[in-house]
Amino acid sequence: MSVRKIITKGDPVLGKKAHPVTQFDEKLHGLLDDMRDTLAQASGAGLAAPQVGILRRVVVISTGEEEGEILELVNPTIVATEGEQDGLEGCLSVPGYWGRVRRPMKATVRAQDRNGEWFERTGEAMTARCFCHEVDHLDGRLYTELVEGKLYTNDELEEMMEEQED
């Protein structure tokens, strides 16, 4: 297992649609393990394979529901959504920037696990946001295309938070 380099906005691979996974083998398991390590090292909420230069429909998400739980999604699709939330979103491939994005409050994803078994998982709030954000990556879209208003730098975001505390 190893930490892979996260590619950033401007790399053409981020704008391409990822291919379905058809072989559930040691190569896929190695990719998933590397993505887990990469996500942990980057302290991110989610990571899609295109973000590490692999055009496959593979995602890992830190759900935050249980300590250290990482959800692996292979060939995921959003099968149901409910409600709406408007909030700040960032991305490991767009470091140092944040933007307001409208997402569903609740989302159900259908995916396969590392062994090819199908399952469904419903997430709310941040998990629903992650499901949608990472599936967008698999379709070649970045959250910056959905931002309402402007992108904020880390400094601008920090300033906004301080103003809200006052």
Side-chain angles (χ1 to χ4, degrees):
M1 294 184 286
S2 63
V3 173
R4 296 193 183 204
K5 180 180 186 280
I6 297 173
I7 61 175
T8 56
K9 187 176 180 181
D11 189 307
V13 77
L14 292 175
K16 294 181 180 176
K17 191 170 177 130
H19 306 288
V21 171
T22 56
Q23 294 191 328
F24 295 82
D25 55 13
E26 289 306 312
K27 188 174 179 183
L28 172 64
H29 296 180
L31 172 62
L32 284 162
D33 292 342
D34 287 356
M35 288 176 64
R36 282 171 165 267
D37 290 347
T38 304
L39 181 64
Q41 192 270 338
S43 300
L47 184 69
Q51 292 180 273
V52 293
I54 307 295
L55 280 174
R56 290 286 175 261
R57 296 188 76 79
V58 177
V59 166
V60 294
I61 292 174
S62 174
T63 65
E65 294 169 12
E66 292 180 33
E67 183 68 33
E69 181 189 19
I70 301 290
L71 183 60
E72 298 176 344
L73 305 173
V74 180
N75 297 323
T77 56
I78 305 293
V79 295
T81 61
E82 192 178 307
E84 198 173 85
Q85 62 174 310
D86 181 36
L88 286 170
E89 204 164 300
C91 180
L92 296 173
S93 290
V94 188
Y97 290 92
W98 302 85
R100 290 206 170 279
V101 178
R102 185 162 295 157
R103 299 278 191 190
M105 181 54 81
K106 191 175 188 179
T108 301
V109 68
R110 184 170 194 268
Q112 290 170 281
D113 66 16
R114 66 173 45 218
N115 300 310
E117 296 297 318
W118 287 99
F119 68 95
E120 286 189 6
R121 177 83 176 256
T122 299
E124 295 186 34
M126 183 62 170
T127 301
R129 180 175 294 281
C130 285
F131 286 169
C132 296
H133 179 109
E134 300 308 330
V135 169
D136 278 351
H137 272 300
L138 301 179
D139 293 330
R141 287 190 307 268
L142 291 175
Y143 85 99
T144 54
E145 298 170 36
L146 304 172
V147 168
E148 297 172 0
K150 68 173 266 179
L151 282 176
Y152 298 96
T153 64
N154 283 336
D155 290 342
E156 290 171 322
L157 184 62
E158 203 172 292
E159 235 174 76
M160 285 173 37
M161 300 298 220
E162 286 174 6
E163 287 173 8
Q164 287 178 355
E165 289 175 4
D166 293 339

